[in-house]
Amino acid sequence: MKNDLILQTVTKVVVFIILLFSVSIFFGGHYSPGGGFVGGLLTAAAIVLLLLAYDIKTVAKLIPVDYKLVVATGLLISTLTVAGAMFFDVPMMTHAYQYFDIPILGHTSLHTAVLFDLGVYLVVVGVTMTIIQTIGEDE
Amino acid sequence: MAETFKIISMILIILGTILSLVSTFGLIRLPDVYTRNHAASKSTTLGIMTILLGTFVYFLNVHGHFDSRVLLGIFFIFLTSPVAGHLISRSAYHSGVKLWDKSVEDDLKSSQDKVYVKK
């Protein structure tokens, strides 16, 4: 019988703060320090905290994601963002932005660099979690 | 008005620095792992929270910038630092670190929490 009640209860609260902060850093990366890499590392850190408090099977049941597929998805998104510029007869990796009036968020600039950053984010999360899970579960 | 808040944040930051310094002295002076952990986890937490509060007050009132990350940091430190102290102390106890030889009471020894002690 393990007695990890304090660690597990605090983890339940703290994981949401870390995830929220990682999303905030990811979306604020264009105007403030942060971006896809740091956001991805923070998300991976939240999952690692879950792995510390619970065992590896519980976390795999909680987040039923194959992290190798996450890496592949991230690479695909980044590649498609880079290649998408070809359809508009401009050089590769040309990004575009436009201002939109979104109901809740208001006057917001949406930039295609966010899509590239989303790919980076997914690759970082996937690679970090693949490394840690592979090291963690060798029996 | 900004000068008043500058002085307030200055006092808060100096107070936090002094608390961290006191914690460091406790870390050097105290005899065993548990009393050191007591000094390190308590007064450093309060010291860092005070420094962050002073920073928050400074940027809110002098620069007019509401930095919610600092508030989140205060909450996060308040939540996690005592738990870290608890875990370090508990793993020290369960791996058999001796108490200070002038300690008079060991409540955990006679309680139910003997699961990890393999003796």
Side-chain angles (χ1 to χ4, degrees), chain A:
Chain A
M1 188 189 81
K2 285 177 79 177
N3 191 2
D4 283 342
L5 188 65
I6 294 178
L7 178 62
Q8 288 179 351
T9 312
V10 168
T11 301
K12 277 176 201 163
V13 181
V14 159
V15 157
F16 286 105
I17 300 176
I18 302 176
L19 283 178
L20 195 70
F21 189 52
S22 77
V23 171
S24 152
I25 267 188
F26 169 67
F27 280 114
H30 202 74
Y31 296 108
S32 57
F37 188 78
V38 187
L41 276 183
L42 264 174
T43 308
I47 306 174
V48 169
L49 182 62
L50 278 178
L51 281 174
L52 283 178
Y54 299 91
D55 57 327
I56 206 162
K57 287 198 181 93
T58 316
V59 179
K61 200 191 286 174
L62 206 66
I63 311 170
V65 177
D66 185 2
Y67 290 105
K68 293 186 276 301
L69 286 179
V70 173
V71 177
T73 316
L75 284 175
L76 188 69
I77 289 174
S78 288
T79 316
L80 286 181
T81 315
V82 169
M86 291 197 302
F87 294 108
F88 299 99
D89 208 18
V90 285
M92 269 169 73
M93 292 191 87
T94 306
H95 288 285
Y97 68 97
Q98 187 62 260
Y99 286 94
F100 293 98
D101 284 321
I102 300 170
I104 297 170
L105 297 173
H107 196 63
T108 315
S109 75
L110 296 182
H111 201 298
T112 52
V114 175
L115 292 174
F116 190 80
D117 231 16
L118 181 67
V120 175
Y121 176 88
L122 290 177
V123 168
V124 169
V125 172
V127 167
T128 315
M129 291 318 295
T130 310
I131 291 172
I132 288 169
Q133 275 194 340
T134 316
I135 294 173
E137 68 185 357
D138 57 351
E139 286 157 357

Side-chain angles (χ1 to χ4, degrees), chain B residues 27-51:
Chain B
L27 211 60
I28 297 170
R29 299 270 307 168
L30 288 172
D32 70 343
V33 142
Y34 307 103
T35 45
R36 272 183 202 154
N37 202 344
H38 170 84
S41 61
K42 262 187 173 167
S43 83
T44 319
T45 309
L46 187 62
I48 290 174
M49 281 167 68
T50 322
I51 291 175

Side-chain angles (χ1 to χ4, degrees), chain B residues 12-13 15-28 30 35-53 73-74 76-82 84-85:
Chain B
L12 283 173
I13 289 173
L15 191 69
T17 323
I18 291 172
L19 278 169
S20 302
L21 190 69
V22 165
S23 161
T24 316
F25 283 146
L27 211 60
I28 297 170
L30 288 172
T35 45
R36 272 183 202 154
N37 202 344
H38 170 84
S41 61
K42 262 187 173 167
S43 83
T44 319
T45 309
L46 187 62
I48 290 174
M49 281 167 68
T50 322
I51 291 175
L52 284 178
L53 191 66
I74 294 174
F76 194 82
I77 289 286
F78 184 60
L79 210 60
T80 52
S81 177

